[in-house]
Amino acid sequence: MNYEMIADELLDIAETGFRKNYRNAKKEYFTPENLVLIRLARSNEGIVYAGTLSSYIAVATSRMAVILNDLERQGLVERKTDDRDSRKKIVVATPKGKEKGVALLEEIRRNCADILSVLGEEDAIRLVDMVRRISGAMNPDAA
């Protein structure tokens, strides 16, 4: 099987779709600041280590410090020192930050649901399964 030819077709489809919808895309969802708020909203306690956030959005810890400073100035997060390891910083969403993160997450979820609805339930479930398998193959430690 020629997977490169299939990959080219997938890239062509994606490029055409993105080009057509780029102007309508909500690019602001995916700013580093919003990604931090979304991650905090998706965590069980609304608490995440700064280093984990840095890895999650793939930025250097120095860049993460700048992002967190900005979010703190806006009153969206607080940084606390971990009681068990004073070298680690815990990031906690403030009520305002949690509200914004949850709102972003809900809007993204609605947009994804709209996109998936085009496929129908069975194909949407199958797509999610395929993406999970691809992700697992690319990140075996995360599976």
Side-chain angles (χ1 to χ4, degrees):
M1 178 156 294
N2 186 342
Y3 287 105
E4 289 178 3
M5 188 172 77
I6 296 168
D8 281 340
E9 183 177 354
L10 180 61
L11 290 170
D12 288 345
I13 293 166
E15 182 183 6
T16 302
F18 291 139
R19 194 175 33 239
K20 285 181 182 176
N21 295 308
Y22 184 73
R23 277 171 264 157
N24 300 330
K26 296 282 188 171
K27 315 180 274 231
E28 67 271 10
Y29 288 153
F30 304 109
T31 65
E33 292 78 9
N34 284 348
L35 288 173
V36 167
L37 295 175
I38 290 165
R39 179 66 186 101
L40 288 170
R42 295 197 74 209
S43 71
N44 291 334
E45 299 86 29
I47 299 169
V48 179
Y49 284 104
T52 302
L53 289 169
S54 190
S55 296
Y56 173 71
I57 65 171
V59 297
T61 53
S62 58
R63 173 72 175 115
M64 181 53 63
V66 171
I67 293 165
L68 294 176
N69 285 339
D70 185 46
L71 289 170
E72 275 187 317
R73 270 193 300 278
Q74 295 177 53
L76 299 172
V77 301
E78 295 175 350
R79 279 182 279 196
K80 300 178 179 185
T81 302
D82 186 350
D83 292 337
R84 292 171 287 170
D85 186 345
S86 61
R87 297 169 297 169
K88 292 184 177 181
K89 295 293 180 191
I90 297 172
V91 181
V92 181
T94 64
K96 181 180 169 185
K98 185 170 183 152
E99 183 180 324
K100 183 173 180 177
V102 167
L104 285 163
L105 185 57
E106 287 302 316
E107 193 168 350
I108 291 168
R109 185 178 288 129
R110 279 192 306 275
N111 288 337
C112 286
D114 287 347
I115 291 166
L116 290 171
S117 71
V118 171
L119 298 175
E121 186 176 356
E122 189 176 309
D123 284 344
I125 290 169
R126 211 174 331 192
L127 173 65
V128 170
D129 181 57
M130 287 186 271
V131 171
R132 183 180 297 114
R133 286 176 21 215
I134 291 167
S135 179
M138 293 173 63
N139 305 297
D141 294 337

